[in-house]
């Protein structure tokens, strides 16, 4: 296994402080989703500042601009394995409990999925690659446009968005009658796949999968796309925009999220022994060199 050490980037992912399934937590569930403001707490302040920049700057125009920049898929070419190894150079400052390379967390999550759903090999691979979109941080994308909870732009912001009451102050979309109503630019029950999402690693990796003609099932791609859309799948917002088919997506997103933060532990899987199995999944669903 090759762990890269040079050109490290400190990546603080606020979304990794929160996961909704307490049965998978090694610590008291009350320790998760703590977004209280404490200017004396460096971690809480980093989280708050990240969301402040996100909520101030993520507008319809900004998202369309990032889609224009990133969805040309001309940034870099690499295999899934190379991307996983590159991601180890992102140091996640939001995780005070574990200091292990990202690839170890990826295999921990994948192995938990494999144990619970042994027949669904696509789920094993999704757990392995769910963070690959974070490679944007290597190419001058600010953290607030890479990590953290996502939300729909183009309509009123969901009530359960963290720091909702104060961190959107100054975002011009809040004063635009085209974007600040309940439905905004959308029609009732249009389906979450028709929403313009705030820009981050979820939306980017979903697009990378589609661009590279993945053979993963649609539900797998949707897990990637919406796993950080906490205001929807955990907060209960945006129900007026859901379509009936979204219930299946939400079911699998909630299953997947059990394998994310709560699988982190000091028990390190034997990655060299596991690589052959996961390489067969990569070859099956996302082979060769990908365009990012």
């Amino acid at each position: 296994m090759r762990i890269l050490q040079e050109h490290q980037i400190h990546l603080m992912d606020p979304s990794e402080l929160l996961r909704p399934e307490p049965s998978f937590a090694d610590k008291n569930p009350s320790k998760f989703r703590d977004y209280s403001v404490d200017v004396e707490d460096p971690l809480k302040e980093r989280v708050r500042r990240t969301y402040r920049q996100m909520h101030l700057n993520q507008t319809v125009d900004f998202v369309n601009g990032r889609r224009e920049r990133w969805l040309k898929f001309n940034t870099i070419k690499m295999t899934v394995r190379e991307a996983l190894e590159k991601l180890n150079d992102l140091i996640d400052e939001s995780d005070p409990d574990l200091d292990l390379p990202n690839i170890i967390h990826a295999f921990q999550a994948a192995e938990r999925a494999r144990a619970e759903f042994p027949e669904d090999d696509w789920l094993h691979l999704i757990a392995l690659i769910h963070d690959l979109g974070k490679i944007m941080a290597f190419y001058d994308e600010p953290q607030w446009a890479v990590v953290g909870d996502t939300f729909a732009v183009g309509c009123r912001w969901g009530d359960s968005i963290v720091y909702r009451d104060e961190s959107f102050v100054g975002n011009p979309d809040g004063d635009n009658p085209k974007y600040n109503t309940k439905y905004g630019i959308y029609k009732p029950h249009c389906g979450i796949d028709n929403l313009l999402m705030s820009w981050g690693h979820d939306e980017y990796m979903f697009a990378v999968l589609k661009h590279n003609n993945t053979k993963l099932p649609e539900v797998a791609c949707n897990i990637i796309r919406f796993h950080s859309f906490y205001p929807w799948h955990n907060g209960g917002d945006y129900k007026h925009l859901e379509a009936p088919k979204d219930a299946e997506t939400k079911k699998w997103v909630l299953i997947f999220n059990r394998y994310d933060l709560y699988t982190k532990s000091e028990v390190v899987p034997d990655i060299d022994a596991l690589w052959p199995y996961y390489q067969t999944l990569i070859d099956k669903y996302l082979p060769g060199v990908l365009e990012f």
Side-chain angles (χ1 to χ4, degrees):
M1 178 181 66
R2 179 168 59 95
I3 304 296
L4 305 179
Q5 299 295 334
E6 298 178 353
H7 310 298
Q8 289 185 328
I9 295 176
H10 288 256
L11 184 70
M12 184 275 299
D13 188 348
S15 71
E16 293 196 348
L17 296 178
L18 47 109
R19 290 295 181 262
E21 294 79 13
S23 63
F24 276 72
D26 290 332
K27 59 184 177 181
N28 191 303
S30 67
K31 300 299 183 182
F32 295 92
R33 299 201 70 90
D34 180 5
Y35 289 102
S36 57
V37 176
D38 182 355
V39 296
E40 301 300 323
D41 186 319
L43 177 58
K44 286 185 177 181
E45 272 299 283
R46 287 200 301 269
V47 171
R48 186 186 64 81
R49 287 195 298 266
T50 298
Y51 275 110
R52 170 56 178 157
Q53 290 302 309
M54 179 195 299
H55 294 163
L56 176 64
N57 293 293
Q58 291 262 12
T59 63
V60 170
D61 287 344
F62 174 82
V63 171
N64 284 330
R66 302 328 288 156
R67 294 177 68 86
E68 174 67 19
R69 183 265 183 258
W70 285 101
L71 302 191
K72 292 182 172 69
F73 306 104
N74 61 358
T75 300
I76 192 171
K77 296 180 180 181
M78 63 179 77
T79 65
V80 168
R81 181 166 184 166
E82 288 169 340
L84 281 167
E85 292 176 342
K86 185 175 183 64
L87 206 59
N88 283 317
D89 289 337
L90 294 176
I91 299 176
D92 184 354
E93 295 178 346
S94 73
D95 191 346
D97 301 317
L98 192 64
D99 184 19
L100 291 174
N102 184 273
I103 199 171
I104 292 177
H105 164 55
F107 274 94
Q108 288 172 331
E111 282 295 283
R112 178 65 69 89
R114 185 181 179 187
E116 189 170 354
F117 291 91
E119 302 303 319
D120 295 314
D121 61 358
W122 58 267
L123 186 62
H124 315 164
L125 182 59
I126 284 296
L128 187 73
I129 68 172
H130 69 277
D131 278 339
L132 285 192
K134 292 179 182 179
I135 66 168
M136 289 189 293
F138 285 101
Y139 305 99
D140 301 321
E141 196 72 352
Q143 290 190 25
W144 52 263
V146 176
V147 301
D149 291 4
T150 58
F151 56 94
V153 299
C155 65
R156 183 183 301 152
W157 302 302
D159 290 337
S160 71
I161 296 173
V162 297
Y163 307 110
R164 165 68 170 81
D165 293 338
E166 65 273 4
S167 66
F168 283 98
V169 174
N171 184 312
D173 284 4
D175 297 321
N176 189 330
K178 185 178 180 181
Y179 302 140
N180 66 8
T181 63
K182 178 179 180 180
Y183 289 100
I185 61 177
Y186 308 110
K187 296 185 182 298
H189 304 294
C190 60
I192 62 166
D193 56 332
N194 288 311
L195 303 182
L196 184 62
M197 299 300 299
S198 58
W199 186 250
H201 72 283
D202 306 50
E203 191 73 9
Y204 177 53
M205 192 59 201
F206 170 81
V208 167
L209 293 175
K210 291 297 187 179
H211 173 74
N212 287 281
N213 299 312
T214 181
K215 297 179 177 63
L216 285 162
E218 190 66 19
V219 68
C221 297
N222 284 337
I223 289 172
I224 291 289
R225 188 179 189 185
F226 298 116
H227 74 271
S228 297
F229 192 12
Y230 275 84
W232 169 62
H233 64 67
N234 195 47
D237 295 335
Y238 305 103
K239 289 183 177 179
H240 57 292
L241 300 176
E242 287 181 349
K245 65 179 181 178
D246 295 333
E248 183 72 4
T249 297
K250 182 182 288 187
K251 180 191 80 172
W252 279 105
V253 168
L254 291 174
I255 288 171
F256 162 79
N257 277 350
R258 299 204 300 260
Y259 313 134
D260 204 342
L261 181 66
Y262 291 161
T263 59
K264 291 185 177 180
S265 71
E266 295 293 344
V267 179
V268 178
D270 186 343
I271 292 177
D272 289 333
L274 292 172
W275 256 124
Y277 171 71
Y278 286 97
Q279 188 62 53
T280 65
L281 302 188
I282 294 168
D283 294 340
K284 178 179 179 180
Y285 291 114
L286 205 57
V289 177
L290 309 183
E291 295 179 338
F292 285 85

